[in-house]
Structure formats: C-alpha cells, structure tokens
C-alpha cells in the first residue's frame, strides 16, 4: 500500500513541480520533506484560472513537507502539505506570440489526463494544504509602458498572505471525511470537488516600478524640495506604500469534471467581511489608480487568444471567479485634504466560457451603497451618496447577454455569499469575446444601471479628484481592444441631483464691481436629471437624424453592415431641470415656482434627446472624434423648454458661469502633464482643413418653448412675469461640406409660431408733456391674482390648401442661407452668399408709448430718461464678468499672413480666407403683416369690455400689407463673353437692391357694433386666435403697391472711394382699386394725438439709447433735448399755421385755430385719465368689500375690520371727488 501511495504522490508532484524525480523523496516515518522547489507555472496558471495575458514567471517553494495519514485511513483522511513560504511572480506578457511558442515547448512534458478518476486523483483532490507565507508580486503594464516613461507605468503590487489553509469539504462546506465528501458525485454525471480556502492575514503593498528611478522625470523631481508640480499635485515621486493590511477572508471553490476526469468547470467565490485602508497619501492614491487601470487593461485585452498558452490538464472550459466585500473604507490623508470612501456590498464576478479557440467573458460588478466624503473642509460635506428618495422596488436589470450565460458549476444553485437583497446602487454587466472578432460581430457589450445619485460639487475636492482621475486612468487607444473591433455601451441612470454651492459674496467667487451689492437671495444651483440613458453602438436606430433620407449617409442606413469606421450614440433624458437654492433667510411660500425643498425653478427641459452619427471617409477605424474628412450628423430635440428668469437670477447665473470658467481652467491645467494628451496634441497639429470633417450637419428641434422674465425672484412675492415668450415648432439646421478648394456652410431655420406678452402697464404711460410717470406694480391683475399680460407680438398662421384637399401651415419664420468660402484668396470668385428669408403672419400691438413704459418698468430707462439703475448695474456686471470676452473684437486675418492665405515664411496657413463675398443673392419676404397703434383709450376699452385679444387690432388704427420683399444681389450685368477674361473681384458685393411692397393699407378703428362677441365680424371674416369659419385673405387688388430699384453708381473720379454711391434706377407705384378714405374730425384729431405721442416716445427712447451708449458728449445736449421733445415740436409747428383749420364734416376740410385742437386733445386725454381712475377705484372698492366680508366671517380681531371700513370710507370720498371732476369736465 505504501508503494501505491508513493506512486500516487509521484504522479501528482510531477505534474505540479518542475524536474521532479522519486529520488528526491526522503521518508521519515510518514513525512516527506523537500526544499527549494520550482512549481510548474502553466499548471498553477490553469488551476487558479488566471487571465491569458498574465504569465507565472516565478513560482518557488521554500520548505515543502508532506504528512501522510495511516495507511488504513488514506481513503478517509487527507494528506497534509505544509509549505513555509511560496513566492510567486505574475507579469503581464506583451508578446503573446512568444508566450505561445515557449509555453508549447514546456507543456509538451505535461501528463495527459482523462483516463478516469483514479486513486492518485482522489488522493490529490483530498489534500489539505497549509502555507505559512505567500508572497505574490503582480506587474501589469496597462498599455502605457512606452508612454511618458516609467513614471507613468502602473506600480507593482506585493501581496502577502499569512496562514493560508485549503481543505476539502462536502457540498454544504462542512468538514467531513473524504469518502463522505466523494459520495455526492456517486450518482451524478459529473465529478465534483468542494474545497474551502481560509486565510488570517492579507496585506497589499504598492511598489514603484524598478525603472522609475532611472527615469528623467523622476530625476528632475528630486531636484526640488517640494516635490510638487505647478498645480500643487504630487505626481512623480512615489516610494511605495501599504494599501491594505490585516484582511481576513475565505473562499469557496467548486471543481467540476466529467466522468472521465476531464476538467469542465471551476468556480471560486471569495468573501471578505471588511477591507480598511486607514491612511493613503496623495502619491499612493495616484499609484493605486494607475495600478487598477493597468489591471483592467490586462484583464480585458482583446489581442490574446485563449489557446495562446497551452494550459495543462487542469484548464477548465468554464470558470467563474467572484468576490464579495461587505464593507470597504478608504481614507486619503494629506496635509491639505482628506477624502473618505465608504462602499457597501461590493460584488465582482468574472465568468469565462472557452472552447479552446474562442472565449466569452462575462464581468459583473454590483455596489450596494457608495459614499464619498470630504472631511477636510469645514463643515465636512458628502460629495457622492445615494439619493434620499425612496428606493426602487424594481428587480435588478439583467441584459439578455447576461442571462443563462453558462450552465451552473456549483450544483446547489447560488451560494450564500451573494449581494444582499434589493436593487444595487450601481450594476455593471460586460460581455467580451476573445480574441476580438471581426465586424459585424461585437467584441464587447457593456450595460451599466445606476439608481438615483446625489453629487455635491465642491471646488477644491473636484480639482483634487479630477487631478487623480486624469493622472491615474491613462489607457492608450487600442490597448484594451483593437481599433478594428466594434463595441456597444449602454448607461441607464434613474436620477441625478448635482448641487453646486456658490458664495457670491467672496471676492474669489464674483466678478462684480465694488458698487454691486454682494448679498444675493441664492446660495447655489442644483441640476436635477431623471431617466438618463446614454447608448453607443454602430447598430443603433436613430430616428431623429432620419439618416435613411440622407444620401451621404448611405453606409449608416438601417440594414447596412457595421464596422469600426462607424460610430452612433444617443442620449435621452425625460427631465432636466436647473434650480437655484435660496438662502436660509429667504424661505417662504406662495409661489408655484418655489419647491418644498427651498429651490427656485429656473430652467426645465422635458423629453430631451441627443443623437450623433459619424463615419470616416476611407472606411478606416474611427479613432479621432470628429473624423477628419468624414461625415458627422448631430441632432438635438426637446419636447418642452421652460425658463423662469429674473434680473437677480441672471446675475447669479453669470457669477456661476464665471465660477465654472475658472474651475475649468484649473482642471485643464491639472491635466496638461498627461502623456496621452500630449501625444494627442502632437497628432492634432496641422492645417485646420485636414482636421475638420468633410460633411457635417447639426440640427435642433424644440416643440414647445416658454420663457418668462419675472419681476423678482423673492419667494415671498407672487409670480409677476414682466415678459412671457412662447414659441412652437422651432427647427434649426446647420451643415458644412468641403468642396475641394472651398467649403459650403448652409443653414436653415423654421419657426411655426411665436408670441410675446408683456405686463400691462395700464396708466403707466408717459404724458404729453414728456414727464415720466413712475409705474406702480399691482395695477392690473387677472382672476388668479397675477399681473395681466398684453400681447405685443404674435403670429396668425395661414394655411395653404392644395387641390387634393391637404393643407400646410405657413410658418412664421423660414430662413435658408448658403455660404461658400474658398480656402485660398486666389479662388475669390467662388466666394458667394445666398440668403432667402420669409417672415409671415406677424402681428404687432402697442406702440412706442407702450414700449417706453415697458423700458421704464424693466429698469432699462430711469426716471430722467437716462440709463436705469438696474441696467447700469447689469452693464457693470457684464463688463467685468465672463461675457466681456465675447464682445472683444478679433481680427479675421492674423498678422503675419499674406492675402493669398500663406504665411510669411512660405508655409500654407490653416486659416480660411474671410472677406466680402464676390457673389451675393439676398431675398427677404415679409408676408401678411399688421401693425396696430394702440393708445390709452384702446387699452382702457379692452380692459373694460373684453379682456381677450380677439379682434383687438380692429379696434385701433392699424397698418397692413400683403407682402414686402427686399432683394439684394451682385450686378446681373456682369456677364463674360466666351473670349473675355474674368474681371476679378468686384468693387462692391451688392450692386442692385430691389424693395417692393404690395397691398399696403391703413385702416381706422372699427366700431364695436360691427364685432360679435365671438370675435367674428358680421361679414364672417375670422380674426386671430379663434377657429376658422372662412379663410381670411387679403384682397390682392387692394392697397398701394410700390417697387424701387437701387443700383450703385460707378464714378471714375472716385475709384478709391470705399463708400458706395447709390441711385434710384426704377420706381413703380400703382393702386389696384380706387382708394376710399372716410374719416371724421375726431378720428383724425385722435390719430394726430397718437402720432404725436408715438413720435415723442420714439425720440425719448432714442435719446435714452444714446445716453446708454454714452454718446451724449459727442452728439451734444441740444440734440438730446430735441430728441426728447421730437413729437411736441414737430406737431406743434404743423398745426400752428393760421391758414389751416379742420371742419366738422367727414367729407370736407376747413380752417380752424390750432388752439381748438390742443384744447380738444387735453380734454380727451383728461377724460381718458378719469375713466381709468374710475375703473381702478371700482376695482378697489369691490376688493375692499370682499375683504371686509371675509374678515367678518373669520376669526379676526375687530381692529382689522375697523381699518378695512376706514379704507372703504376713504374710497367713497375719492369717488365723490371724481364725480365732481367729471361734472366740471
């Protein structure tokens, strides 16, 4: 029996040890001692299930002792193997072909297995192995070994394990005798071996790469004492540091073989209760990130073949290695910062299925909880944490490729050490094929699901973390997967809340001048995202871009084969909102814009979608984004865009924008030492024409647009929108295409409907003497208590009916431009500009008087007619803020470059030739426009009788025209003969301008008796805003038609004159039908009063604009004074002639003193003022009566009721005074 046992041991040891013979046995009773043995690296590689890219370069055993049981119990008790020290070195192999040849030679001596489950196999499976110390050295290259020197190479990891114990158990991981443990496989079709691994102590040390000390960068870093870069980061110096220490754990191992003892499956599940890193320095963290990056690149290399190493008999076709860590705590301590990372329930698994030639790898990562804290700041803050909302009750999302990936290895289902119940915070599933297949087969598929997260962006912490990530996560393109492979990636995020604190009072956080108040109602901003999905795959179906109708993108059509030259990605979010956090002392309610958490909603976008598609020009793998000379398509769509903005919000957002600009500059400075970025910058050098794509198109579509400018952001004040801007169906598209020696930039804009509503100023108009009346805020409210809005700009869309019964909507705005720009000035004749624009259905209400009142109310103009206080502060803020750079002029042609587009040294310039186009064709059409001139009387009548805007333009003087066109083009007479030479660049780009107008009509107000309550005239013609009953069309033969042709004059004496001289070439004036003018004296006098008031307001607005631009010094105070009284002076001079007087008949005109006109104007204005005061008084009385009724019913003090009664008595007194004033009038 002893001889049989000896042969069995020899059989096993020959497989595991190199150059082993039986002569080395030295029996001492039932023990055998060996020393200084070399382990077969291939056998160890296969047994541990290591990745193919790792080689076991060294495996040595110090003292090797075998303790045999009694001969009678050899079938029941295990053989104990005791090892005092095991030294292992694992190194990533860069040359897979060399590894294949060397391993083939060494594996030829391995013993074949598969003849059956014999005595030696049973003895080997039942062994108990005790190792006192395991020293493992792991070296990975991470794809950056040749980039940036050895300083940027991943560090080596030295892993030390003490008191390791491996023993055999039954299927429930209980220690039983070996015969009982083998009984489980007696009635199964497979042979199962269950083992349990335990260790008491594990530590990991990160060691610098040996070549780092000879690197030039390291030598330079030692010259300075601070050992810091310009941005304060400790990048280069790293002398080694302990990462983890004192970790205990256990592993459950399942080995599955066939009945012929052929390896079939290997499953290893490791469980670590706790992993703590109490203190890690900044250089240690950067080294740790580089180590994990190198390990990731090593595990996922797509250039390896599963059969590259001829693994031994223990290589299983299926393997599963998983790791569960209950708690992870990582603390990064430095003199200037301290970060703490707490991770709960980390689960990592990697499954492999191989047939010898090809392999499929499935990687799963799940995290139950994640917290990242900055404990150095005061007070400490949490940077990343799960959302405080209720946890999702959905089941974990498992992609299709992750379901039923391989048959189970452990026969009793999932083992105990799995992720705790519930949906994990972050889950990742990744499928990879080895070696990377050729397209159209995907080399990898990755799906990441994330539950709602909360992120707090703090400046110092973000700079530190960005520096760590920029230096630590460095992977060369193509290091993991070949450039020719295709991959897919899907990222789902249920919700995200990003908080950005900002203290505008700090000098480093604000760009305001010293005169600006530092106090603000806002303390920060919060970005909220719901249901974010990002996907990248060449097989995506992009509906927004509509590629099937784009001939240039035929290779991206659905059904076409996919390859690495294509890239498609999409991003979708159901809701993106930006809110401003209010200060603690400004909390309050009463506004629907205020949320319960103290946030003021600023911007809200619903159903946002982004789609991008690109392809290279020659079919090569797409490695540079965007592809030079390739095709790029970008589409953005938004179902609804809402914005609520006030002046205070605008200033705060500008501060936030400046803050982000400064932080971005610091982040860019942090990553400047990245070797990959330096390599990319070197590759990006060259002419601009060689970098940009050859065909690009970008489109933007917005379904509903609502912009509201509020009067105040204080939550204690009701919503008071000053301006409301609404729009529907906005579509913008810009394309760029290279045409050999030139490029064509075309754009198109289509907008179906627009409406602009402004606050109703009521009586807040400017009187006829020019004195500005101070506006009061709560003058006119609607039924909901909000200010009544007045439409000043809206669109009445018309429909074009076709013969087949279909109809199409005429858009409000339709613009198309094509600009051809040559690359060289020698091709100047190719420089052309073509613009076509059509604006239809515009309705303008109000007038200059109302505009002046709005400018005063908005704070743009002050009481003295000059710049308002709010505008002055805003201009000071903008002049010192980040937007000041946008208004600085920059030269179109850089100095040192000649006119032909080349530099002074003879090299070609990458700048395009920008100058005036040689061929210009501009066409602008204005169709179906209406201007309504509304004064105080019209507004009072609208408020008293009809609060809606239906037929409102018919109740005032208004001007309409059917169409107005403006055409500007180059001289059409420049036609060259067949033998003539080109004349070169023409002197002026525009040499012919044609202006025409058709159907111009001026209509007086219509009596309300002719208008029904539903807004339809007795004739049945529909006006704006109501359902159509008859199509409203202009009379093509009515109104005045005018057309003027203006051409440039060429004078030989003014050849060098830069200014063009224009002359009228043709003038056409026609009237299609006889004009009938019926007007009364009162109507004409009121029109004159309106015109006078409008001209006065126009002059005061012009004077205010000049004062805003600070041009009053150059123009003179006298000119400013004349502008401020423009209408009064001009109209008084017109009506001061003694020989002009107006009669009372509607069909005759006679002379009358001008004093009658002025007196009548004053009486009319006074009557209008009294009517408005009566309206306000009646409204106040009704409100006072309702308030007194409510107070009498409620439990209120008698003092409040008495005050309301006193107010009511005062209102009655004002009513009596108004009655006396009206009787006197």
């Amino acid at each position: 029996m002893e001889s049989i046992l000896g042969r069995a041991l020899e059989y096993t040891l020959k497989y595991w040890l190199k150059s082993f013979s039986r002569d080395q046995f030295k029996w001492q009773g039932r023990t055998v001692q060996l020393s200084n043995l070399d382990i077969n690296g291939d056998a160890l590689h296969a047994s541990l299930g290591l990745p193919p890219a790792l080689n076991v370069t060294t495996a040595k055993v110090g003292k090797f002792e075998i303790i045999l049981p009694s001969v009678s119990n050899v079938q029941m008790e295990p053989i104990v193997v005791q090892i005092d020290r095991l030294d292992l070195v694992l190194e990533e192999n860069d040359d897979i072909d060399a590894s294949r040849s060397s391993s083939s030679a060494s594996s030829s001596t391995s013993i074949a297995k598969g003849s059956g489950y014999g005595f030696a196999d049973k003895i080997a499976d039942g062994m108990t192995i005790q190792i006192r110390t395991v020293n493992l050295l792991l070296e990975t290259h991470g794809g950056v070994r040749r980039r940036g020197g050895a300083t940027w190479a991943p560090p080596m990891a030295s892993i030390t394990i003490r008191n390791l114990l491996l023993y055999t158990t039954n299927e429930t991981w209980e220690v039983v005798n070996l015969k009982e443990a083998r009984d489980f496989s007696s009635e199964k079709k497979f042979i199962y071996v269950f083992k349990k691994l335990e260790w008491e102590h594990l530590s990991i040390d990160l060691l610098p790469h040996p070549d780092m000390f000879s690197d030039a960068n390291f030598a330079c870093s030692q010259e300075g004492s601070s050992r810091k870069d310009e941005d304060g980061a400790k990048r280069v110096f790293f002398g080694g540091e302990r990462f983890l220490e004192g970790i205990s754990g256990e592993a459950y191992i399942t080995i599955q073989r066939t009945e012929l003892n052929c390896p079939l499956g290997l499953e290893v599940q490791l469980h670590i209760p706790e992993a703590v890193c109490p203190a890690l320095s900044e250089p240690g963290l950067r080294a740790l990130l580089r180590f994990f990056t190198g390990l990731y690149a090593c595990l996922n290399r797509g250039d390896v073949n599963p059969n590259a190493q001829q693994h031994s008999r223990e290589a299983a076709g299926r393997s599963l290695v998983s790791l569960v860590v209950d708690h992870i705590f990582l603390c990064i301590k430095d003199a200037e910062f301290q970060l703490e990372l707490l991770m709960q329930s980390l689960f990592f698994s990697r499954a492999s299925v191989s047939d010898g030639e090809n392999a499929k790898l499935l990687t799963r990562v799940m995290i139950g909880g994640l917290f990242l804290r900055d404990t150095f700041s005061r007070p400490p803050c949490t940077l990343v944490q799960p959302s405080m909302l209720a946890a999702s009750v959905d089941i974990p999302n498992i992609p299709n490729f992750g379901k039923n990936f391989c048959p189970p290895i452990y026969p009793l289902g999932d083992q105990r050490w799995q992720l705790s119940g519930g949906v994990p915070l972050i889950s990742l599933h990744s499928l990879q094929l080895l070696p990377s297949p050729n397209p159209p087969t995907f080399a990898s598929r990755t799906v990441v699901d994330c539950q709602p997260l909360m992120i707090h962006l703090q400046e110092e912490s973000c700079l530190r973390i960005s520096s760590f990530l920029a230096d630590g996560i460095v992977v060369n393109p193509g290091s993991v997967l070949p450039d020719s492979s295709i991959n897919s990636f899907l990222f789902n995020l249920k919700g995200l809340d990003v908080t950005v604190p900002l203290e505008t009072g700090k000098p480093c956080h604000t760009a305001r001048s010293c005169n600006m108040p530092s106090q603000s109602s806002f303390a920060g901003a919060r970005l909220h995202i719901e249901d974010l999905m990002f996907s990248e795959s060449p097989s995506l179906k992009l509906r927004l871009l509509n590629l099937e109708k784009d001939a240039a993108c035929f290779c991206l059509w659905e059904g076409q084969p996919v390859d690495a030259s294509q890239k498609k990605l999409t991003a979708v979010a159901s809701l993106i909102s930006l809110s401003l956090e209010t200060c603690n002392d400004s909390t309050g309610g009463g506004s629907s814009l205020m949320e319960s958490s103290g946030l003021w909603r600023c911007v809200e976008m619903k159903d946002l979608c982004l789609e991008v598609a690109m392809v290279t020009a020659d079919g090569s793998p797409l490695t540079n984004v965007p592809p030079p000379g390739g095709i790029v398509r970008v589409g953005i769509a938004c179902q609804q865009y809402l914005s609520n903005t006030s002046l205070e919000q605008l200033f705060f957002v500008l501060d936030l924008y400046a803050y982000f600009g400064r932080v971005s500059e610091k982040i860019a400075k942090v990553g400047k030492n990245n070797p990959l970025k330096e390599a990319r910058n070197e590759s990006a050098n060259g002419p601009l024409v060689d970098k940009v794509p050859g065909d690009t198109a970008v489109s933007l579509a917005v379904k509903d647009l609502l912009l509201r400018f509020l009067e105040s952001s204080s939550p204690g004040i009701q919503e008071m929108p000053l301006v409301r801007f609404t729009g529907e169906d906005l579509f913008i598209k810009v394309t760029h295409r290279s045409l050999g020696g030139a490029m064509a930039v075309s754009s198109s804009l289509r907008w179906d409907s627009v409406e602009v509503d402004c606050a109703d100023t009521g009586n807040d108009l400017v009187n006829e003497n020019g004195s500005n009346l101070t506006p009061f805020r709560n003058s006119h409210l609607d039924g909901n208590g909000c200010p009544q809005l007045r439409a000043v700009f809206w669109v009445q869309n018309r429909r074009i009916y076709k013969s087949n019964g279909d109809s199409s909507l005429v858009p409000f705005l339709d613009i198309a431009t094509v600009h051809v720009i040559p690359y060289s000035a020698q091709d100047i004749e190719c420089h052309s500009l073509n613009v076509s624009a059509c604006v239809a259905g515009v309705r303008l209400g109000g007038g200059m008087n109302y505009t002046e009142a709005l400018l005063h109310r908005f704070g743009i103009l002050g009481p003295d007619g000059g710049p308002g206080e709010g505008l002055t502060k805003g201009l000071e803020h903008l002049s010192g803020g980040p937007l000041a750079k946008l208004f600085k002029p920059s030269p179109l042609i850089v100095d040192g470059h000649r006119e032909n587009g080349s530099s002074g040294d003879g090299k070609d310039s990458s700048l395009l030739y920008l100058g005036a186009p040689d061929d210009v064709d501009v066409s602008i059409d204005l169709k179906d426009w209406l201007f309504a001139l509304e004064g105080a009387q019209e507004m009072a009548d609208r408020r008293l009788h009809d609060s809606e805007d239906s037929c409102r333009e018919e109740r005032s003087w208004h001007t309409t025209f059917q169409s107005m066109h403006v055409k500007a083009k180059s001289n059409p007479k420049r036609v060259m003969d067949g033998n003539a030479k080109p004349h070169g660049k023409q002197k002026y780009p525009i040499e012919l301008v044609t202006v025409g107008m058709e159907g111009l009509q001026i209509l007086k107000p219509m009596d309300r008796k002719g208008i029904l309550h539903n807004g339809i005239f007795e004739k049945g013609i529909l006006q704006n805003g109501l359902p159509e009953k008859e199509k409203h069309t202009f009379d093509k033969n009515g109104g005045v038609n005018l057309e003027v042709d203006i051409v440039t004059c060429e004078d030989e004496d003014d050849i060098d004159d830069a200014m063009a001289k224009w002359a009228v070439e043709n003038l056409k004036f026609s009237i299609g039908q006889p004009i009938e003018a019926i007007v009364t004296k009162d109507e004409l006098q009121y029109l004159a009063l309106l015109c006078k008031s409008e001209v006065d307001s126009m002059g005061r607005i012009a004077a205010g604009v000049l004062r805003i631009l600070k041009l009053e010094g150059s123009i003179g105070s006298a000119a400013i004074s004349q502008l401020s009284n423009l209408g009064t002076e001009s109209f008084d001079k017109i009506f001061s002639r003694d020989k002009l007087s107006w009669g009372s008949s509607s069909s005759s005109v006679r002379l009358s003193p001008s004093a009658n006109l002025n007196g009548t104007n004053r009486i009319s204005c006074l009557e209008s003022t009294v009517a408005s005061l009566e309206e306000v008084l009646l409204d106040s009385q009704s409100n006072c009566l309702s308030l007194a009724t409510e107070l009498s019913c409620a439990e209120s003090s008698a003092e409040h009721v008495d005050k309301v009664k006193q107010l009511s008595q005062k209102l009655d007194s004002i009513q009596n005074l108004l009655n006396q004033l009206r009787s006197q009038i």
Side-chain angles (χ1 to χ4, degrees), residues 1153-1166:
S1154 60
N1156 294 336
L1157 178 62
N1158 294 333
T1160 304
N1161 292 341
R1162 285 193 294 270
I1163 293 175
S1164 176
C1165 184
L1166 188 60

Side-chain angles (χ1 to χ4, degrees), residues 510-582:
T510 180
R512 301 182 183 182
S513 62
C514 58
N515 298 327
M516 291 290 294
S518 59
Q519 298 296 330
S520 176
S521 301
F522 305 105
R526 178 173 296 182
L527 178 66
H528 177 71
I529 303 177
E530 294 181 4
D531 298 329
L532 175 64
M533 187 274 292
F534 174 82
S535 179
E536 180 182 355
S537 174
S539 61
L540 283 177
K541 298 180 180 179
L542 306 179
R543 304 303 181 189
L544 178 62
L545 294 180
N546 200 8
L547 299 176
E548 283 72 15
K549 295 185 179 180
D550 193 342
C553 302
F554 69 94
C555 58
L556 298 174
W557 290 353
E558 186 176 352
Q560 294 290 334
V562 296
D563 54 24
S565 65
Q566 306 171 12
K567 184 181 290 291
K568 296 180 183 178
L569 59 90
T570 179
V572 179
S574 62
L575 176 64
I576 297 180
S577 63
L578 176 64
S579 304
L580 302 183
E581 291 186 347
T582 58

Side-chain angles (χ1 to χ4, degrees), residues 786-992:
C786 296
Q788 183 176 353
L789 297 179
R790 175 182 179 182
V792 297
F793 185 97
W794 69 97
V795 176
Q796 179 178 338
N797 297 107
R798 297 176 58 193
R799 287 191 174 272
I800 300 177
Y801 294 88
K802 301 179 182 179
S803 59
N804 56 1
D806 297 337
S807 63
S808 61
L809 190 69
V810 177
F812 148 68
L813 189 60
D814 191 358
I815 302 176
T817 64
V818 178
H819 192 188
V820 179
I821 305 174
Y823 294 136
S824 175
Q826 299 175 356
D827 302 326
I828 186 58
E829 295 182 358
C830 300
H831 195 182
S832 63
L833 176 63
N834 191 329
V835 180
S836 175
C838 178
V839 186
V842 174
R843 300 292 184 265
L844 293 174
M848 300 305 297
N849 201 353
Y850 175 66
T851 303
E852 184 183 8
L854 289 178
L855 293 177
H856 281 280
R857 181 164 185 175
F858 295 165
I860 299 177
L861 296 180
D864 58 347
E869 182 180 358
L871 179 63
T872 303
K873 294 180 180 179
L875 293 177
E876 292 178 358
H877 192 99
L878 293 177
S879 61
L883 297 183
K885 299 179 181 179
L886 300 179
F887 300 100
K888 292 182 179 179
S890 59
L892 296 179
I893 299 178
V894 182
D895 296 337
H897 290 80
R898 300 175 180 176
E899 295 182 357
N900 59 357
S902 61
S903 59
D905 55 0
K907 297 182 180 179
D908 293 337
S909 171
S910 60
L911 298 175
L912 299 178
Y913 179 80
L914 298 178
D918 185 69
D919 185 8
V920 177
D921 188 357
V922 179
S923 176
I924 301 176
D925 291 334
L926 309 180
K927 298 181 179 180
D928 187 13
W929 278 50
L930 184 145
F931 302 87
L933 183 60
E934 297 176 321
Q937 181 176 348
E938 287 82 5
M939 295 306 302
D941 180 70
R942 184 172 70 89
R943 290 192 299 270
L944 290 175
H945 301 92
D946 189 5
S947 59
E948 298 181 357
D949 289 337
S950 58
C951 307
R952 121 187 191 191
E953 65 271 14
E954 302 296 338
R955 297 193 297 269
S956 61
W957 285 90
H958 57 279
T959 302
T960 65
F961 59 84
Q962 178 183 350
S963 66
M964 177 180 178
H965 61 271
V966 178
K967 297 182 179 179
K969 59 177 63 178
S970 304
N971 191 356
K973 299 179 181 180
R974 293 182 59 204
V975 180
M976 296 184 302
D977 298 334
N979 299 327
K981 296 183 179 180
H983 299 283
K985 178 177 173 60
Q986 58 187 9
K987 187 174 183 180
Y988 305 111
I990 298 178
E991 299 180 354
L992 173 63

Side-chain angles (χ1 to χ4, degrees), residues 352-644:
S352 173
V353 177
S354 174
D355 59 0
E357 295 295 335
N358 300 296
K360 295 190 300 181
L361 303 177
L362 177 64
T363 302
R364 294 192 300 163
V365 179
M366 297 183 183
I367 300 176
L370 178 66
F371 296 86
L372 180 61
R373 288 174 48 84
D374 181 6
T375 56
F376 185 81
S377 61
R378 292 293 178 266
C381 64
T382 302
L383 302 179
V384 179
Q385 67 178 12
S387 177
M388 304 303 293
L389 301 177
S392 176
V393 296
D394 299 336
I395 60 176
N397 181 27
I398 301 178
N400 294 329
F401 62 78
K403 299 177 181 178
N404 302 322
F405 177 72
C406 66
I409 299 175
Y410 180 69
L412 301 183
D414 293 336
Q415 300 189 27
R416 67 178 73 178
W417 304 115
Q418 293 286 347
L419 190 66
S420 58
V423 180
L425 177 65
I426 301 174
S427 64
L428 179 145
H429 294 78
S430 179
L431 175 66
Q432 183 180 355
L433 303 183
L434 293 180
S436 296
N438 296 324
T441 304
F442 283 84
S444 68
R445 296 177 182 269
T446 304
V447 176
V448 180
D449 294 307
C450 186
Q451 296 299 314
L453 284 175
M454 296 179 62
I455 299 178
H456 186 85
L457 296 181
Q458 192 181 31
E459 179 179 354
E460 296 298 331
S461 302
C462 290
L463 290 177
R464 292 286 182 180
I465 294 175
S466 62
S467 176
F468 296 151
L469 298 179
D471 296 343
I473 304 178
V474 181
V475 179
N476 287 329
S479 298
V480 177
L481 294 176
D483 295 336
S484 59
S485 62
I486 58 175
N487 314 280
S488 68
F489 178 79
L490 176 62
F491 176 77
N492 294 313
L493 179 61
K494 291 294 184 67
L496 178 64
D497 288 314
V498 181
T499 304
V500 182
L502 179 63
E503 298 179 8
T504 56
K506 292 185 178 182
C508 59
H509 284 171
T510 180
R512 301 182 183 182
S513 62
C514 58
N515 298 327
M516 291 290 294
S518 59
Q519 298 296 330
S520 176
S521 301
F522 305 105
R526 178 173 296 182
L527 178 66
H528 177 71
I529 303 177
E530 294 181 4
D531 298 329
L532 175 64
M533 187 274 292
F534 174 82
S535 179
E536 180 182 355
S537 174
S539 61
L540 283 177
K541 298 180 180 179
L542 306 179
R543 304 303 181 189
L544 178 62
L545 294 180
N546 200 8
L547 299 176
E548 283 72 15
K549 295 185 179 180
D550 193 342
C553 302
F554 69 94
C555 58
L556 298 174
W557 290 353
E558 186 176 352
Q560 294 290 334
V562 296
D563 54 24
S565 65
Q566 306 171 12
K567 184 181 290 291
K568 296 180 183 178
L569 59 90
T570 179
V572 179
S574 62
L575 176 64
I576 297 180
S577 63
L578 176 64
S579 304
L580 302 183
E581 291 186 347
T582 58
C583 299
N584 296 330
D585 57 350
S586 62
T587 57
S591 175
S592 62
L593 297 178
M594 281 292 297
E595 300 177 359
S596 59
S597 57
L599 299 177
W600 185 278
R601 290 181 296 171
C602 186
V603 177
E604 187 175 282
M605 293 179 286
K606 296 182 179 180
D607 297 333
L608 186 66
C609 179
L610 168 67
E611 293 182 356
V612 179
M614 56 186 70
V615 62
T616 58
D618 54 358
S620 59
L622 199 157
T623 56
N624 296 325
V625 177
I631 300 175
V632 177
R633 296 290 183 267
V634 179
I636 304 174
C638 182
Q639 185 68 22
Q640 189 178 40
Y641 182 91
L642 306 177
S643 175
N644 301 287

Side-chain angles (χ1 to χ4, degrees), residues 686-702:
L688 177 64
V689 180
D690 298 338
K691 304 175 189 176
V692 299
D695 191 345
T696 308
V698 180
S699 63
L700 170 65
V702 180

